[in-house]
């Protein structure tokens, strides 16, 4: 269960707190970095400690190991991966506590628009903003590829 009418753009602003359930995943780590770069307070949880989790912590992002309602800490938005089910205690707490909750795959277009709007707004518009806008489209993908390249597969 998720909120279908969440206005992502109003929540993707500096100072808002976002919790990423499954933050150690390959799609969530770059997302966490992008959101933190936008000035949002980013926190998250994952089932296992990993190099990815340690990397996020080194960037000042708080990561709890294990999923618990207490991990939400007054956040404004919960983003989850498809691997996080409705019965997850964080999702149950978000829904029952009226915290906006969305799946990462359902907000790609809206998130990219929010990131682009934030970059254009903070850069003052103009040619500089256009250059940043275009590079912001590729940054999450390059971050994801960098993360994938850094992992060792047996």
């Amino acid at each position: 269960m998720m909120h279908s009418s969440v206005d992502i753009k109003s929540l993707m602003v500096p100072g808002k707190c976002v919790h990423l359930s499954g933050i150690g995943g390959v799609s969530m780590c770059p997302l966490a970095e992008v959101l933190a770069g936008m000035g949002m307070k980013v926190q998250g949880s994952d089932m296992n400690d990993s190099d990815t989790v340690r990397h996020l912590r080194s960037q000042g992002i708080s990561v709890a190991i294990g999923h618990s309602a207490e991990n939400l800490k007054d956040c404004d938005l919960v983003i989850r991966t498809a691997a996080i089910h409705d019965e997850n205690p964080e999702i149950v707490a978000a829904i029952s506590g009226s915290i906006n909750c969305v799946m990462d795959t359902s907000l790609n277009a809206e998130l990219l628009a929010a990131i682009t709007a934030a970059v254009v707004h903070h850069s003052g518009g103009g040619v500089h903003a256009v250059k940043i806008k275009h590079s912001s489209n590729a940054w999450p993908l390059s971050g994801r590829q960098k993360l994938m390249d850094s992992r060792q597969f047996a």
Side-chain angles (χ1 to χ4, degrees):
M1 179 178 194
M2 292 182 295
H3 296 108
S4 58
S5 61
V6 176
D7 179 12
I8 295 296
K9 291 178 189 173
S10 70
L11 297 171
M12 298 289 179
V13 295
K16 292 283 187 178
C17 179
V18 60
H19 180 89
L20 280 67
S21 291
I23 197 168
V26 69
S27 66
M28 297 293 262
C29 176
L31 178 58
E33 291 177 320
V34 168
L35 296 175
M38 290 173 56
M40 297 186 70
K41 180 181 182 234
V42 179
Q43 63 186 39
S45 62
D46 206 83
M47 288 305 297
N48 301 300
D49 200 0
S50 64
D51 289 341
T52 303
V53 167
R54 287 186 286 281
H55 166 74
L56 290 169
R57 287 180 177 148
S58 76
Q59 302 298 310
I61 296 172
S62 174
V63 180
I65 301 302
H67 298 286
S68 169
E70 290 80 32
N71 292 340
L72 299 185
K73 300 177 189 165
D74 299 320
C75 65
D76 301 297
L77 174 66
V78 173
I79 301 175
R80 69 189 228 190
T81 68
I84 305 295
H85 299 286
D86 290 344
E87 299 80 24
N88 179 288
E90 293 175 351
I91 304 310
V92 171
I95 301 296
S96 65
S98 298
I99 299 171
N100 293 301
C101 184
V102 296
M103 192 169 299
D104 64 335
T105 57
S106 69
L107 59 82
N108 288 338
E110 288 187 72
L111 178 60
L112 187 56
I115 291 168
T116 301
V119 169
V120 170
H121 172 73
H122 292 297
S123 66
V127 175
H128 177 64
V130 171
K131 289 179 183 175
I132 293 172
K133 177 179 172 183
H134 290 292
S135 66
S136 71
N137 292 340
W139 189 89
L141 296 176
S142 66
R144 184 177 303 151
Q145 186 61 49
K146 183 177 177 183
L147 181 63
M148 288 294 291
D149 290 345
S150 69
R151 293 188 177 178
Q152 296 180 2
F153 296 95

